[in-house]
Amino acid sequence: CHLIHCLGLSHHLIVLNYLICTFDKLKSVSSEDIKITDTVFDGVEVRVFEPPAKPDERLKRSVVYIHGGGWALASARTSLYNNLCRTMAESLNAVVVSVEYRLVPEVCFPEQFYDALRATKHFLQPDVLAEYSADPNRIAISGDSAGGNLAAAVCQQLSKEENLTVRPKLQALIYPVLQAFDFNTPSYQQNMNMPILRRSVMINYWIYYLNGNYDLAHSLLINNHTALDVGRALSFRGRLNWTSLLPSSFKKNYKPVIQTTGKAEIIQEIPALLDVRAVPLLAEKATLQLQPKTYILTCENDVLRDDGAMYARRLEHAGVDVTLDHFHDCFHGCMIFTIWPTDFAAGLQTRNSYIKWLDENL
């Protein structure tokens, strides 16, 4: 409750947090055959889901999963994510490592990123993979929302490390949050008051993840931090030009919001607003060229829709094989709502499509 209050989050997010806590008491719905182990990977808590071994089976594929919640809510141990990861492990016959990274307000950026990176790198070690009978050539990095942000950032960092002997084959990002450069993309304008994730709530998440001042919220909302006179933002502007990166069906009739004069001190106070470890969409092309085959799921009724679509286009321009899986009638966060009393069709539809892609590509 203290966290909800200090973040100044909306009524809808309070309801979401209540649902998460309520669902945590519900019985898990997946097969009892899945072995669940809570352990520690290089100082980071993880929950590992292992399907039963089969006679004469070769090594299993695996997924490192990073949960959402605005870097501040939820857990790998809640029923919502526990059921998702059990379903993945069962459907894919795969080892699933769910990362229990530390949350705001205990820690802020870059600690969540480093938690996710350390846990992933630990799992990628050949001896650890062997311990779990995991195939080093069939590993995916995945996550939803803020977890999608961390998954993308981890993949980018892994691609730059030359001494890794094992690398992910795929990344799968579920309605990821990827940029804090422009809070007036068409999807931010279209869905600014959409329940579950309003624009003001997403801005609050960013401020507290990056350890900023809530008083800056309005300036961020009108893009004062990336105005034309903010020199540090200029070099990134071409990497996030939604007028060229988005399809017309996403752009609709919305107009860019680009301030002529803004507040350069915002970037000075919160430099992570332009740090690619926090905002993977701003990565340079040379980094994007190194990314693995990618799946990005987006929802029409979501302020983050365009983050995912722009990242898909930039990855395509860099030569990466990308699947953009867009759902016209779905909303942010829907994929984890597959348990009664919120077993939404949108949740089952998106989850099934996501698992199907992993099954065919991993």
Side-chain angles (χ1 to χ4, degrees):
C1 292
H2 171 70
L3 174 61
I4 297 293
H5 175 73
C6 75
L7 287 180
L9 300 178
S10 72
H11 168 72
H12 296 283
L13 207 58
I14 294 173
V15 171
L16 178 59
N17 190 59
Y18 171 78
L19 288 173
I20 290 172
C21 294
T22 300
F23 290 161
D24 195 32
K25 301 171 185 175
L26 298 179
K27 184 178 179 181
S28 191
V29 297
S30 295
S31 167
E32 295 299 327
D33 290 337
I34 303 297
K35 178 186 175 184
I36 300 177
T37 308
D38 290 324
T39 186
V40 177
F41 283 2
D42 192 15
V44 181
E45 295 180 11
V46 298
R47 173 164 283 193
V48 183
F49 301 76
E50 296 176 81
K54 297 179 180 179
D56 302 322
E57 181 182 45
R58 58 198 179 108
L59 296 175
K60 284 181 165 57
R61 47 195 176 178
S62 58
V63 181
V64 175
Y65 195 85
I66 309 172
H67 72 79
W71 308 283
L73 295 174
S75 163
R77 299 187 180 101
T78 59
S79 286
L80 292 169
Y81 284 107
N82 197 67
N83 280 318
L84 172 62
C85 290
R86 288 185 66 139
T87 300
M88 290 166 58
E90 187 176 32
S91 302
L92 299 168
N93 190 36
V95 177
V96 178
V97 177
S98 188
V99 181
E100 185 76 340
Y101 58 92
R102 290 168 295 164
L103 303 174
V104 173
E106 179 188 354
V107 297
C108 297
F109 174 83
E111 295 309 315
Q112 285 86 344
F113 163 74
Y114 283 130
D115 281 359
L117 180 64
R118 286 202 310 275
T120 303
K121 288 180 68 175
H122 179 88
F123 183 65
L124 293 179
Q125 294 178 104
D127 59 332
V128 177
L129 292 171
E131 178 185 344
Y132 290 99
S133 299
D135 188 339
N137 298 310
R138 304 173 78 198
I139 303 168
I141 311 295
S142 186
D144 65 293
S145 194
N149 167 282
L150 294 170
V154 165
C155 274
Q156 289 186 6
Q157 182 60 38
L158 293 176
S159 72
K160 300 174 186 177
E161 300 198 5
E162 298 179 358
N163 59 344
L164 285 183
T165 56
V166 177
R167 298 182 183 276
K169 179 182 181 182
L170 308 173
Q171 67 174 337
L173 313 177
I174 313 303
Y175 30 74
V177 48
L178 297 170
Q179 60 89 24
F181 191 95
D182 184 358
F183 291 109
N184 290 274
T185 62
S187 62
Y188 264 115
Q189 295 188 54
Q190 172 184 318
N191 299 298
M192 66 174 68
N193 292 316
M194 187 63 62
I196 299 294
L197 189 62
R198 298 176 184 270
R199 175 168 64 173
S200 58
V201 170
M202 191 63 244
I203 291 173
N204 287 349
Y205 273 146
W206 272 116
I207 288 173
Y208 286 95
Y209 177 46
L210 303 182
N211 200 24
N213 187 333
Y214 177 70
D215 293 340
L216 299 175
H218 180 70
S219 283
L220 291 171
L221 187 148
I222 61 175
N223 289 344
N224 272 342
H225 60 305
T226 53
L228 292 175
D229 68 331
V230 179
R232 289 183 61 190
L234 287 179
S235 62
F236 293 98
R237 190 167 298 282
R239 301 179 192 177
L240 205 154
N241 179 8
W242 61 256
T243 62
S244 64
L245 291 173
L246 293 178
S248 58
S249 60
F250 283 17
K251 289 187 287 189
K252 301 180 175 65
N253 293 317
Y254 292 103
K255 305 299 180 187
V257 175
I258 304 174
Q259 306 294 352
T260 304
T261 56
K263 294 185 177 180
E265 59 268 25
I266 297 175
I267 298 296
Q268 294 169 4
E269 181 177 334
I270 317 178
L273 286 165
L274 299 178
D275 188 324
V276 295
R277 297 173 301 169
V279 286
L281 184 52
L282 296 186
E284 60 185 3
K285 186 175 182 180
T287 298
L288 299 186
Q289 289 173 331
L290 300 174
Q291 300 315 297
K293 187 174 185 178
T294 299
Y295 171 91
I296 300 177
L297 187 151
T298 56
C299 296
E300 181 67 22
N301 304 309
D302 181 6
V303 292
L304 301 179
R305 178 199 68 194
D306 296 344
D307 284 25
M310 287 189 288
Y311 197 46
R313 181 59 63 88
R314 288 204 65 212
L315 287 169
E316 286 177 346
H317 288 170
V320 176
D321 185 348
V322 180
T323 296
L324 179 61
D325 199 6
H326 182 63
F327 290 83
H328 292 282
D329 298 323
C330 295
F331 56 92
H332 186 81
C334 65
M335 199 175 82
I336 58 174
F337 292 113
T338 58
I339 311 169
W340 185 90
T342 55
D343 47 343
F344 299 138
L348 295 170
Q349 181 185 11
T350 50
R351 188 186 71 183
N352 291 344
S353 188
Y354 160 70
I355 290 178
K356 182 175 184 288
W357 185 88
L358 284 175
D359 192 35
E360 293 173 350
N361 292 278
L362 185 56

